[in-house]
Amino acid sequence: MNGWILIGTAAAASYLLRAVPLLIFRRLALAPHSPVVRFLQHAASAVMGSVIYLALFGDSSFQAPWTLIQSPGALLKLSVVLLAAGLALWRRSVFMPLLAGTALYAAALLLLMAN
């Protein structure tokens, strides 16, 4: 699976997860803390997390997961993924984890290249 297929799939899944509930639950009232509402709040963050993961590790990590540990900078990449996941769960935002993860990774790469 290449990056463009993943991005297209993520976009379609994100659109469907946002549009289908509007069509189905248009006339139904859901409690703000129901499991369905919680799932839909975290779905966009999960899609963004998969895009971040693929951008950092590539699709080879799906075929051979042990290469994650052997690749150079794996600890840095995993810390960026964990930071983005933590921010997504805490702030329930999609773009903040993306911006924070990108900034952290770019700063760490600059520091590594300077040494």
Side-chain angles (χ1 to χ4, degrees):
M1 173 183 309
N2 68 25
W4 289 110
I5 292 173
L6 178 71
I7 290 171
T9 305
S14 180
Y15 179 78
L16 285 175
L17 285 172
R18 292 168 192 264
V20 169
L22 291 174
L23 297 173
I24 293 174
F25 300 117
R26 177 181 283 173
R27 300 196 191 275
L28 297 175
L30 290 176
H33 299 291
S34 69
V36 173
V37 171
R38 277 195 247 152
F39 170 76
L40 293 174
Q41 288 175 342
H42 293 295
S45 298
V47 168
M48 188 58 71
S50 65
V51 170
I52 292 170
Y53 180 84
L54 182 69
L56 289 176
F57 291 107
D59 60 348
S60 64
S61 63
F62 294 118
Q63 299 160 354
W66 57 87
T67 59
L68 291 178
I69 300 168
Q70 298 171 347
S71 69
L75 185 61
L76 174 64
K77 291 176 182 179
L78 284 174
S79 65
V80 169
V81 170
L82 290 175
L83 171 79
L87 277 173
L89 289 173
W90 177 49
R91 301 294 294 171
R92 297 190 184 183
S93 170
V94 175
F95 294 110
M96 182 185 289
L98 180 63
L99 294 175
T102 304
L104 174 70
Y105 191 65
L109 284 179
L110 284 174
L111 287 175
L112 289 174
M113 293 184 112
N115 291 331

